[in-house]
Amino acid sequence: MRAPAERIYPLAAEVERWPELLPHYRWVTVLEQDASGRRKLVEMAARRGWIPVSWQAVQQLHPETPAIHFRHVGGITTGMDVTWRFEPVEGATRVTIDHRLDLAWPFIGVVVAERVIGPHFVHHIAGLTLARIKRLVESAA
């Protein structure tokens, strides 16, 4: 993204604002938050095309790094670890979202995670999120 991490990070970190910024998000509700605001339990809901999806996650903010970590604790993606990374590159910031989903379902968990949930839901929604944040920060430049 052609913007500094200091401009991108707040858009990624303030998940409660995502529904107003990201058209594919239906709602984000903060269920719990620590006094520092760096740890939140949130309920999130988005759309994958016409399919509604929702989950709960614990968000950990690390602005000094910068990085953002999510641990999914409710919904079909329970157990998924997500890390947002912000790497400075010449005149820009490389923003990546890494997902690790290990479904503890007997026999079919790996197949469902790797062939259905990951490519058709997680990567699609994350791709829309990154593309929209990119448009927002680059249009503000």
Side-chain angles (χ1 to χ4, degrees):
M1 297 183 194
R2 290 185 306 272
E6 296 78 30
R7 199 160 76 228
I8 303 165
Y9 186 86
L11 294 178
E14 296 172 7
V15 292
E16 56 273 22
R17 291 190 56 216
W18 283 12
E20 70 187 71
L21 301 173
L22 308 172
H24 55 290
Y25 267 81
R26 298 182 297 145
W27 75 79
V28 175
T29 303
V30 176
L31 303 174
E32 296 174 14
Q33 182 170 321
D34 71 3
S36 72
R38 288 187 171 204
R39 184 184 181 285
K40 301 173 190 170
L41 172 62
V42 293
E43 181 177 67
M44 306 175 86
R47 283 188 186 80
R48 194 315 183 190
W50 57 271
I51 302 169
V53 294
S54 62
W55 63 96
Q56 287 187 358
V58 174
Q59 179 195 49
Q60 290 279 151
L61 300 176
H62 305 279
E64 65 285 348
T65 305
I68 302 169
H69 299 283
F70 291 91
R71 174 78 174 164
H72 288 217
V73 296
I76 194 123
T77 54
T78 294
M80 183 163 65
D81 287 309
V82 180
T83 302
W84 285 62
R85 292 186 174 84
F86 304 81
E87 177 189 354
V89 293
E90 202 168 307
T93 304
R94 178 179 293 116
V95 181
T96 57
I97 306 174
D98 298 319
H99 298 87
R100 201 180 101 234
L101 175 58
D102 296 320
L103 291 179
W105 300 356
F107 309 112
I108 63 168
V110 172
V111 173
V112 172
E114 291 179 358
R115 299 201 180 173
V116 179
I117 296 173
H120 297 289
F121 290 88
V122 173
H123 297 151
H124 180 81
I125 291 169
L128 291 174
T129 299
L130 283 175
R132 178 67 177 157
I133 289 176
K134 180 180 190 309
R135 276 194 299 278
L136 290 169
V137 299
E138 291 182 356
S139 69

